[in-house]
Amino acid sequence: MLSTKGKYLYKNGEKLFYLADTCWGAFTSITMPDWRYYLDMRKSEGFNAIQINILRQWDSSKPLKGREPFTVVEHPDGSYEYDFTKINEEYFDNAVKMLEEMKKRNMVPALVLLWSNFIPDNWIDNLHLAQNNLMPFDCIKPYVTYVVNKFKRFNPIWFVSGDVGFTNNERQNRQTAIKYYQEVLESAKSVDPAGIYTFHINGESHDLPEEFVKQVSFYSYQSGHGYSGQKTAYTIPLALREKQDYQGPIIDTELCYEGLTQMHSPEPKRYNAFDVRKAAWRAVLSGADAGLGYGSFGIWPWKDISHPEQKLEKNFNVQLVPYDWRTCLTFRGAKDLGFLKAILTKFAPNGLKPLNIDVSKAIRGAESENYILIYLPTAGNLDFNKLDLHINNCKVIDLNNRSILEGQVENNVLKMLPVLEDELIIIDKQLN
């Protein structure tokens, strides 16, 4: 069973660092042999959770034949219409079988109950990016009640929303979102009152209405995929802790996806493993150390070149095409996050407290009971005086190749080592 205590998640009474891969289109798009292989790979890398959209992901590949959650009518132009009153039992029975495979591997499902493309007056609806398949308000309770009853035995984390925004602007209406997701949350809690609940908010935002903040088990945010918004990986948890005094668990559940377009960048460019590491380390050292959500551009929309009929939807809104999911399993960013999890388990088993570092600086740091961890996205000299630290010796991990180096400290300044990308400094308090 999952639970929360203080700033962390626990599973069967033991502290859990949530490390999830993102596979939004799992239920619609993956054959069982491929699903088993995929789970085994992620399990071997240290992942203990998978993030899944219960319904059809609006910007994903087309489903396999018969893999629709409701009775559907498809039109010649590629559009489709759901009858939300007619649930496809076979679809959800297959989802149960997929969750049983996760249970065999002791992995936690994190299930999105209702993505924002199913409700009106939000950024997806107003940009006309998704199919016009809004769920009638009176269909929410029967649907949510059904799926929570169906899946609750797997002790999932319930994402009440998917990519929803709660900020009033020309692209979305706060009150509409509150109305719809209050119905989702109340319906789910009536069936699973002891469940773990959170909201998947749209990128670079932490605007969650107070009535929901009081009801969530942990705070989920996404630093997301914006070229200029990557600093939110650490500014959001700092704001939640320092300005809003939020004392529960915080998780960046959607880091920049490895291989995805750097959205709004001056030229087409993909996020790489270094970008993922940078977002991840700066998040966990700034208060979001309850866990992380990783993703790769080919697994979350599930591109499968052996099923060409599963072409991407015409509304797909990125510049660069995704990789085949098998290629994505070779990306090193996933392994880097497994390494991050192992480092935190070893050096911060009881959690971290962020150091007071100017947020304008690229470096981030935090301390555990026995260690101080400092992340440098760019290798160079580090003057510990500027961090109010007095250090005689330390270890340095070259995060690109995961090798451990002996730090060279002179006059309280760490000299630059032959590290080409980012590095993690580990300081043993007892030796300094």
Side-chain angles (χ1 to χ4, degrees):
M1 291 290 291
L2 291 174
S3 61
T4 61
K5 180 181 178 182
K7 299 192 299 179
Y8 302 104
L9 296 173
Y10 291 81
K11 186 175 183 180
N12 299 325
E14 295 186 5
K15 185 170 172 287
L16 173 79
F17 183 85
Y18 172 92
L19 184 57
D21 192 25
T22 303
C23 193
W24 297 133
F27 290 165
T28 60
S29 305
I30 308 179
T31 65
M32 191 61 74
D34 288 344
W35 178 242
R36 294 189 184 104
Y37 179 77
Y38 160 74
L39 291 178
D40 286 340
M41 287 293 293
R42 286 302 189 233
K43 179 72 175 179
S44 71
E45 293 168 328
F47 286 81
N48 52 28
I50 306 293
Q51 299 177 160
I52 303 169
N53 186 355
I54 292 176
L55 300 181
R56 180 173 176 171
Q57 180 70 21
W58 70 273
D59 54 356
S60 189
S61 300
K62 286 189 174 181
L64 293 168
K65 185 177 181 180
R67 291 280 193 91
E68 294 281 10
F70 306 98
T71 298
V72 63
V73 175
E74 298 188 12
H75 299 293
D77 64 356
S79 64
Y80 58 92
E81 294 179 51
Y82 283 136
D83 183 343
F84 292 103
T85 66
K86 297 180 180 178
I87 287 175
N88 180 1
E89 296 278 357
E90 291 184 2
Y91 173 87
F92 291 100
D93 288 344
N94 183 72
V96 166
K97 293 177 182 178
M98 296 176 77
L99 294 179
E100 286 173 344
E101 293 296 325
M102 289 189 66
K103 186 176 181 179
K104 291 176 184 177
R105 294 159 177 81
N106 197 29
M107 301 180 82
V108 176
L111 305 177
V112 179
L113 288 165
L114 192 66
W115 208 272
S116 57
N117 63 289
F118 290 104
I119 74 166
D121 300 336
N122 65 82
W123 68 275
I124 297 180
D125 182 33
N126 289 329
L127 288 178
H128 306 290
L129 293 174
Q131 301 284 354
N132 185 23
N133 265 299
L134 303 181
M135 183 178 288
F137 186 82
D138 59 4
C139 288
I140 292 176
K141 185 173 182 179
Y143 154 70
V144 172
T145 300
Y146 173 82
V147 295
V148 174
N149 268 316
K150 193 85 171 177
F151 300 144
K152 69 177 181 179
R153 67 184 174 93
F154 297 103
N155 299 311
I157 291 171
W158 300 110
F159 279 95
V160 178
S161 64
D163 256 353
V164 70
F166 288 102
T167 303
N168 269 331
N169 54 43
E170 68 278 2
R171 300 171 65 195
Q172 56 198 20
N173 184 296
R174 175 184 175 93
Q175 293 306 315
T176 300
I178 291 174
K179 174 186 175 182
Y180 273 75
Y181 285 110
Q182 186 65 57
E183 181 76 356
V184 174
L185 183 58
E186 290 179 357
S187 300
K189 285 196 169 185
S190 69
V191 179
D192 189 11
I196 300 294
Y197 293 90
T198 191
F199 282 74
H200 184 268
I201 311 171
N202 59 353
E204 303 173 27
S205 172
H206 62 280
D207 188 4
L208 186 63
E210 185 62 28
E211 57 262 46
F212 292 149
V213 174
K214 295 177 179 178
Q215 297 185 74
V216 296
S217 308
F218 66 89
Y219 209 111
S220 163
Y221 73 100
Q222 56 163 312
S223 51
H225 321 295
Y227 172 77
S228 63
Q230 289 303 296
K231 66 181 181 181
T232 59
Y234 63 92
T235 59
I236 286 178
L238 287 173
L240 290 173
R241 294 285 190 229
E242 297 173 2
K243 297 179 181 179
Q244 299 185 24
D245 195 32
Y246 182 77
Q247 296 303 314
I250 302 175
I251 300 176
D252 188 342
T253 54
E254 192 168 323
L255 301 165
C256 52
Y257 288 155
E258 191 170 6
L260 182 66
T261 304
Q262 295 186 7
M263 294 182 176
H264 312 300
S265 64
E267 58 183 341
K269 186 178 180 182
R270 296 180 188 269
Y271 288 108
N272 57 30
F274 165 73
D275 299 313
V276 174
R277 288 198 307 269
K278 182 167 67 172
W281 277 107
R282 296 204 288 188
V284 298
L285 296 178
S286 302
D289 60 322
L292 293 166
Y294 169 83
S296 57
F297 190 28
I299 284 181
W300 71 262
W302 203 258
K303 180 181 178 180
D304 189 342
I305 60 174
S306 68
H307 289 278
E309 73 278 8
Q310 286 183 268
K311 61 182 180 179
L312 294 173
E313 298 286 16
K314 64 181 181 180
N315 56 35
F316 208 74
N317 64 329
V318 293
Q319 297 168 272
L320 301 173
V321 297
Y323 297 90
D324 182 74
W325 68 271
R326 300 164 188 83
T327 302
C328 290
L329 288 178
T330 69
F331 290 175
R332 66 159 294 150
K335 298 172 181 62
D336 286 338
L337 292 199
F339 182 72
L340 178 153
K341 176 188 168 190
I343 290 294
L344 293 190
T345 300
K346 179 177 180 179
F347 293 102
N350 297 317
L352 289 165
K353 178 182 178 182
L355 297 179
N356 185 21
I357 299 176
D358 185 348
V359 294
S360 65
K361 297 185 182 298
I363 66 172
R364 303 307 308 157
E367 61 179 328
S368 64
E369 294 171 333
N370 299 312
Y371 297 93
I372 296 173
L373 307 182
I374 300 174
Y375 174 77
L376 273 66
T378 304
N381 296 336
L382 177 63
D383 187 348
F384 290 118
N385 292 299
K386 294 182 179 180
L387 303 180
D388 294 324
L389 297 173
H390 300 282
I391 304 303
N392 296 312
N393 55 70
C394 62
K395 301 289 186 182
V396 176
I397 299 179
D398 181 339
L399 292 172
N400 180 52
N401 56 33
R402 308 184 197 115
S403 61
I404 301 176
L405 307 173
E406 193 69 38
Q408 300 175 14
V409 182
E410 297 179 10
N411 299 320
N412 211 35
V413 175
L414 175 65
K415 299 300 181 180
M416 187 173 75
L417 295 170
V419 176
L420 299 182
E421 294 188 351
D422 51 344
E423 61 187 30
L424 181 72
I425 301 165
I426 300 180
I427 300 165
D428 188 333
K429 293 180 181 179
Q430 297 178 347
L431 300 179
N432 289 278

